[in-house]
Amino acid sequence: MIFLIALLEAILFVFFFKNAIRKHPAVFYVLSVAVIGFIVCYTKLNLYQVFPEWTYLYIISVFYRGAFSTALFVIVMYIGALNPKGKIVRALMPIRGYLSIIACLITLAHSFAYGIYYIAAIFKTPEELDLRQILALVLTVPLFLIMIVLMVTSFKAVRKKMKPRVWKNVQRLSYPWFAILYVYLMVLLIPGMLESLNPASGVEMLYQVNYVLSVLVYTVVFGVYLFLRIRKYKKIS
């Protein structure tokens, strides 16, 4: 499953580069933009014909399909939901904003890669879009707009110019954003899962398991976050 691969890679990325990110965040912003450029070139130039197959499964697909950035967002959200006195949280809290910006920038790679196709389809062949794709596109609008606001206000230069209370209220947009992201993922996954589980579909067992596992893993990850967030809110209040 791509998300599990991406989550493991995101955890390793944060673990090995947390100090470098804290000292030189701009370097990682540039690298994130470079990822955007490479993914766009990869899709436009059909570079999957050049690179080995494993590079797509373990590297390209986690960026192209937005799994790596989603995994980074999960880490960012969990940092805010866990005990602030915990060792891991204390180590990662100083780079939480940086990780959020990196995740937002890499998400643009996903948006551009898929946007090239879907934006063209909206104007040229809208009749080819099914209900799932239309709903996903509708959800993409608030996801994208909120993400841009959160990314811009995460930069220290912008944050310093804002009143603390205003900044905090703006950052709370991350909660509905995370909820919309879950709905977006389910809109994409559940129809495919139900279709694959239909005996008449002829879908291989491997793909059936992948769909079911994807829905379960995302539900557990987002559900546990909701539980932790509510528990923390009750303790504070």
Side-chain angles (χ1 to χ4, degrees), residues 119-162:
I119 292 176
I122 290 173
F123 293 101
K124 294 182 179 180
T125 56
E127 67 280 357
E128 294 183 2
L129 297 175
D130 58 27
L131 179 59
R132 178 183 64 173
Q133 292 170 326
I134 293 173
L135 289 175
L137 286 171
V138 171
L139 291 170
T140 297
V141 176
L143 280 174
F144 188 81
L145 294 177
I146 294 174
M147 185 192 73
I148 294 299
V149 172
L150 292 172
M151 180 181 70
V152 171
T153 54
S154 291
F155 284 98
K156 282 189 175 181
V158 176
R159 179 177 179 176
K160 289 179 179 178
K161 295 181 180 180
M162 299 176 65

Side-chain angles (χ1 to χ4, degrees), residues 66-97:
F68 186 82
S69 54
T70 299
L72 281 182
F73 281 126
V74 165
I75 293 174
V76 169
M77 299 300 285
Y78 267 75
I79 292 172
L82 293 171
N83 184 356
K85 297 181 180 179
K87 184 178 180 180
I88 295 178
V89 174
R90 285 190 287 108
L92 298 182
M93 187 59 77
I95 65 168
R96 189 184 181 208

Side-chain angles (χ1 to χ4, degrees), residues 3 70 73-74 136 139 143 174-191 193 212-226:
F3 178 68
T70 299
F73 281 126
V74 165
L139 291 170
L143 280 174
S174 62
Y175 303 143
W177 185 89
F178 211 48
I180 297 171
L181 177 60
Y182 175 74
V183 175
Y184 171 80
L185 291 169
M186 292 303 103
V187 165
L188 293 177
L189 291 171
I190 289 179
M193 180 188 72
V212 173
L213 186 60
S214 296
V215 172
L216 288 176
V217 170
Y218 278 122
T219 300
V220 169
V221 169
F222 282 74
V224 171
Y225 169 76
L226 178 62

